[in-house]
Structures are given as C-alpha cells and as structure tokens.
Amino acid sequence: MNESTKELVRYTAKISLICAGFLLFVHLLSQPYVEYRNRLDLIAQIRLVMPKAAIYNGLVAKLPLTHQSVIRVLDAKKKFIGYSITTIGQGAMGPLTLLVGFSGNTVTGVYLVAHSEAQGIGALVTRSEPMTGREFSFLGQFRGKHVFDPFKPGEDIVALPDAPLVSKGICEGVHRAVRVYRRLEHIIE
C-alpha cells in the first residue's frame, strides 16, 4: 500500500470514530426523552381502552412466545383499576397488534396498535359508521363484553363484510388476551 492510501485509510478511520462518538453522544442524550415520549404514548393508548387510566404500574409480565405483555393500570388516585394486555391476532396480510383493557370481568376497550393489512383496513376497523340504522364501530363491540363471551364473528361479534379475516384475527387476538386475563385473575368458569 502506498503512503497516500495509508493516509486516506487513517483519515477515514478518524472520521468514522468521531462520527461514532457523536452518534453515541446523541443517543445517550436523547434516550431519556425517547423513553419519556414512549411512556406518554403508551399512557395515551391505554386511555383509549381504559378511559379512567392515569398511570400504569409497570410491566407485570411479558410472555415471550405469545408476544403478549400485561400492564397494571391505576387511576389518578393510584388505585388499581385493571389490566391492559398487548396481544397479536393474525390478519389477512400479517399480524394485528392489539391493546385490550380489562376491569372486573369485562373488556373496557380494544385498540388496534399496528397492522400490516392493505391501506385503509385500519380506518375500516376503527371508524364508526351507520349500519342497520344505528352507529356501528367494529372495535366498539368489544367494550362491555364479559370475559366468558365467545368473541366470535357471526356469533356475538358483527364481522366487517369487507375484511372477514381481519375481523376473525382481531377476535382471536382479543380472545388470547382474555385467556391471559382469566389466568391472571384466577377466574374460573
């Protein structure tokens, strides 16, 4: 290797080390802010399924094989009001990540966190629309359901005609969360 090539390699290595150090500095500096924003986002999502939620009391359990996590939820007076469980259902194009709230023996709400379906499916699932002369919300059907309800499209859930596999996947995801909740609360049929 000639002298100019060696000099170029040394110069490139120095620049790389400086850039890596700068990136590490920015990462360490921004990490607390990112964690704070993630916590605020999680609280906002939990409030969608448990409106009285003020704070959460940390992760109770992370179930690695099922990609589920259980979070204890408290109200403004730091009184326990229920659990929020993250779960996965299977849609037509991939996984559906759901957040399901529970208080007592009832579902307090369901929120579609993420999906890999065709564009517009998320809007279809989450919007309210007139259906059979009344306001209809697919996810709203779950609110108030008992933990021993079947959660099956065509039985106790009105499926979305344009997205039957998504309807089934969300129902299966909610049912998975219900099973975790029943074990957590030791609820026996």
Side-chain angles (χ1 to χ4, degrees):
M1 210 179 326
N2 64 24
E3 196 59 40
S4 65
T5 306
K6 288 180 184 178
E7 187 62 33
L8 180 62
V9 169
R10 279 193 292 267
Y11 180 73
T12 305
K14 287 177 187 177
I15 294 293
S16 297
L17 285 173
I18 290 170
C19 288
F22 180 72
L23 286 174
L24 178 62
F25 173 74
V26 169
H27 173 73
L28 293 174
L29 188 65
S30 64
Q31 190 174 6
Y33 177 74
V34 169
E35 289 174 2
Y36 172 75
R37 290 299 308 162
N38 287 344
R39 185 174 172 87
L40 287 179
D41 289 346
L42 180 59
I43 290 170
Q45 289 174 353
I46 290 172
R47 282 190 181 137
L48 292 172
V49 298
M50 299 184 80
K52 293 181 180 174
I55 56 173
Y56 65 94
N57 195 18
L59 194 63
V60 173
K62 187 135 178 95
L63 311 171
L65 296 177
T66 61
H67 301 289
Q68 293 174 305
S69 58
V70 180
I71 298 168
R72 286 177 47 91
V73 181
L74 310 175
D75 65 10
K77 296 177 182 174
K78 295 187 180 179
K79 180 183 170 214
F80 173 75
I81 58 170
Y83 291 99
S84 175
I85 299 176
T86 304
T87 188
I88 304 283
Q90 183 61 42
M93 305 298 279
L96 304 161
T97 305
L98 304 165
L99 186 64
V100 185
F102 295 94
S103 185
N105 288 337
T106 42
V107 174
T108 59
V110 176
Y111 175 67
L112 181 63
V113 177
H115 66 86
S116 20
E117 300 301 313
Q119 193 173 16
I121 292 294
L124 183 67
V125 168
T126 58
R127 76 173 179 227
S128 293
E129 60 183 45
M131 183 174 168
T132 63
R134 62 181 172 83
E135 259 321 280
F136 174 78
S137 163
F138 179 74
L139 293 179
Q141 298 180 81
F142 295 95
R143 191 176 310 111
K145 287 211 160 288
H146 194 273
V147 294
F148 287 108
D149 286 345
F151 300 99
K152 290 188 179 172
E155 241 179 88
D156 64 331
I157 298 293
V158 177
L160 292 165
D162 296 336
L165 293 176
V166 172
S167 301
K168 182 181 177 200
I170 289 174
C171 289
E172 288 172 354
V174 170
H175 197 260
R176 276 190 197 101
V178 165
R179 286 195 310 265
V180 169
Y181 177 75
R182 290 192 321 217
R183 278 183 293 187
L184 201 61
E185 289 291 299
H186 307 291
I187 300 170
I188 300 170
E189 201 166 1

